Amino acid sequence: MKLDGAQREIMEGARGETLAKVMKTLVSYGEAFGAEKMVPVTSKGGHLVTSFGLGVMKPVYALMDTLIEGGALSAQPFSVDPRPLAKEIPVNFFQNLLFKIMYSKQADYEKQLEKLGLMNPKAFTCTCYMDEVGNKPEKGEVLSWAESSAVVYANSVLGARCNRNSGIIELFGSIAGYVPYFGLLTDEGRKASWKIVVKTTRKPEAQILGSAIGMKVVEDVPYITGLSSWLGNELNDDVRSYLKDMGAAAASNGAVGLYHVENLTPEAVERGSALIQKDAREYVIDDAELERVKKSYPCIWKNPDAKPKLCFIGCPHLSLSQLQSWTERLESRGGKLKIPVIMTCAPAVAEVFNKTAYAPRLKKTGVILSSICPLMYMNNPLCGKMPVITNSNKLRTYTSARYYTDDEILNYITTGAVQ
């Protein structure tokens, strides 16, 4: 790899042995993917996917101590994925005990994060790009992130540039201030090798559409046509929320790090079909294909006919407009819950939402508003055995939670039955 003078000085130890090791690691990482050079990280904020203080992650904590002691701190303030614990979430005695054992290092780990450059105590969310959070990258900025749903959103909806990095490597990029130049950082790597043709008779469910795309293209870049006829050509709050959920499903059911939507996402608006490679394959998605994809999801509950004990809405975290929309939808159905419902959002989004007239209305329905990571909650073996339902394809993919569409979820939590 070709390094400039400043980069070579770092790797040769001019700024300390610890930072030299960080740079050597990034160079090795880049060389593994054929990168020929390093480029500066230009975003104002980093993001770390590893937010949980699992007792077994001793090497991570030792690494963090080494970085702190060596003065290799983040060159930019960073946000972190959601916390795995929250006092407002209902748990029984044994679940609570297991949580305390599993995440015994949470408090200590958060102290390490603060020393390394954590933005603030509220910066725990997978939707770090929300306006309220304060870590929204600009178009064309180079990032060092790993959280899959955040990476795909930043690349696609915001037009920033970031590879699907691994955990810790993302932090190294923020510490060194450089990342290897390959993949989705390059113009060629951002071209689409798939053309997705949406031919549905109604607005596709974002979670199922993203799932279908992810399972078909896997890690490739898709160019989606026909979707703007349902979403329009303006990136308003509702459209951004739709694309957030679609992208998260594509990133978890596949490994999509970037998609383009014709007439809608910034690079597609600028360059149009020029983003599609000449040999791109085509995938047509109609009503029947979406139904086929949905029916392919397995139910891994011990008793498939069990009555759900809990419902999670918000993985990734909900936007302000989604919280408002869910409040209105619950009220339209009488606002009475048949099972406990947890809606999750970023702490900063919750802070803004709680100042609106919607907050007491949502609370009146009985919904629990939290900033927990639903995935981390479900990874507790005792919680994982519970029959939990969700409208998140990401949560369905990584846990035992059972997926239902937004309409099905609304019916289930207000009537106790699904149509």
Side-chain angles (χ1 to χ4, degrees):
M1 185 183 294
K2 298 176 182 178
L3 303 181
D4 64 24
Q7 295 162 358
R8 186 162 296 281
E9 283 182 0
I10 293 174
M11 199 165 76
E12 291 176 350
R15 292 171 55 186
E17 180 183 354
T18 303
L19 188 56
K21 290 181 178 179
V22 169
M23 181 62 89
K24 288 177 182 177
T25 303
L26 288 169
V27 169
S28 296
Y29 172 58
E31 288 177 340
F33 287 94
E36 296 182 355
K37 64 179 180 178
M38 303 286 283
V39 293
V41 175
T42 58
S43 63
K44 62 183 178 182
H47 185 77
L48 181 61
V49 72
T50 313
S51 61
F52 36 91
L54 282 169
V56 298
M57 288 175 31
K58 294 179 181 179
V60 171
Y61 310 132
L63 171 63
M64 297 303 187
D65 281 338
T66 299
L67 293 171
I68 294 167
E69 292 167 4
L73 309 180
S74 180
Q76 52 181 188
F78 59 86
S79 50
V80 193
D81 261 20
R83 291 182 171 99
L85 304 170
K87 294 180 180 179
E88 65 273 9
I89 305 299
V91 291
N92 61 37
F93 174 80
F94 295 105
Q95 290 170 336
N96 185 51
L97 180 62
L98 189 51
F99 270 129
K100 289 182 177 179
I101 295 173
M102 286 177 62
Y103 300 112
S104 60
K105 298 292 291 182
Q106 188 66 31
D108 292 337
Y109 182 45
E110 290 190 20
K111 290 178 182 178
Q112 288 181 316
L113 295 178
E114 290 174 9
K115 293 177 181 178
L116 281 166
L118 180 65
M119 288 173 58
N120 58 66
K122 296 184 294 183
F124 284 82
T125 177
C126 51
T127 56
C128 54
Y129 44 79
M130 293 286 182
D131 290 335
E132 297 83 358
V133 178
N135 193 10
K136 180 180 178 181
E138 301 295 328
K139 183 177 181 295
E141 286 187 335
V142 175
L143 321 179
S144 183
W145 293 3
E147 162 57 43
S148 62
S149 66
V151 167
V152 71
Y153 185 94
N155 275 321
S156 310
V157 182
L158 301 179
R161 298 202 170 197
C162 186
N163 281 314
R164 280 176 56 110
N165 299 302
S166 65
I168 304 300
I169 281 289
E170 57 185 339
L171 178 62
F172 281 11
S174 291
I175 290 173
Y178 297 99
V179 288
Y181 185 71
F182 70 94
L184 298 178
L185 299 189
T186 69
D187 290 340
E188 189 63 29
R190 297 179 74 83
K191 288 186 177 180
S193 56
W194 282 89
K195 181 180 179 181
I196 310 298
V197 183
V198 176
K199 289 186 175 181
T200 56
T201 60
R202 55 188 179 276
K203 182 179 178 180
E205 193 79 14
Q207 301 279 354
I208 304 176
L209 177 61
S211 172
I213 293 171
M215 288 192 286
K216 175 62 72 171
V217 311
V218 192
E219 64 182 3
D220 292 340
V221 177
Y223 187 95
I224 306 168
T225 65
L227 187 56
S228 57
S229 62
W230 297 108
L231 301 182
N233 297 327
E234 179 188 352
L235 279 174
N236 55 39
D237 289 344
D238 290 338
V239 171
R240 284 194 292 266
S241 296
Y242 182 99
L243 296 179
K244 165 180 72 76
D245 293 338
M246 183 192 78
S252 57
N253 286 203
V256 176
L258 163 68
Y259 60 81
H260 304 289
V261 180
E262 185 180 42
N263 301 324
L264 196 55
T265 53
E267 288 170 86
V269 170
E270 287 182 2
R271 301 187 60 194
S273 59
L275 286 168
I276 306 174
Q277 295 178 1
K278 292 182 179 180
D279 58 349
R281 289 171 284 182
E282 186 171 287
Y283 176 37
V284 177
I285 299 179
D286 54 17
D287 297 339
E289 177 63 358
L290 290 179
E291 185 62 21
R292 181 196 68 79
V293 170
K294 185 188 176 192
K295 286 183 177 179
S296 72
Y297 302 151
C299 174
I300 59 176
W301 293 356
K302 186 175 182 180
N303 176 12
D305 298 320
K307 181 180 178 180
K309 292 186 177 181
L310 191 66
C311 173
F312 269 113
I313 297 175
C315 179
H317 279 170
L318 297 172
S319 66
L320 187 61
S321 65
Q322 286 178 309
L323 286 172
Q324 295 170 342
S325 176
W326 272 106
T327 301
E328 292 172 348
R329 297 189 74 185
L330 286 171
E331 289 177 334
S332 72
R333 299 293 293 269
K336 299 296 182 182
L337 300 177
K338 297 296 182 180
I339 62 173
V341 176
I342 300 169
M343 292 188 184
T344 65
C345 66
V349 171
E351 191 174 72
V352 174
F353 177 75
N354 286 332
K355 295 178 181 178
T356 70
Y358 283 91
R361 290 162 56 185
L362 182 63
K363 186 176 181 179
K364 189 177 180 180
T365 68
V367 166
I368 298 171
L369 188 61
S370 177
S371 296
I372 196 174
C373 175
L375 199 157
M376 291 296 103
Y377 173 91
M378 291 295 295
N379 276 346
N380 181 317
L382 296 180
C383 296
K385 293 179 180 179
M386 293 169 51
V388 175
I389 60 174
T390 184
N391 69 334
S392 166
N393 225 318
K394 179 174 182 176
L395 190 61
R396 172 202 70 82
T397 303
Y398 294 140
T399 72
S400 61
R402 191 171 186 174
Y403 172 80
Y404 288 102
T405 66
D406 284 355
D407 288 342
E408 291 169 339
I409 285 285
L410 181 64
N411 193 68
Y412 218 138
I413 62 181
T414 56
T415 69
V418 65
Q419 295 177 345

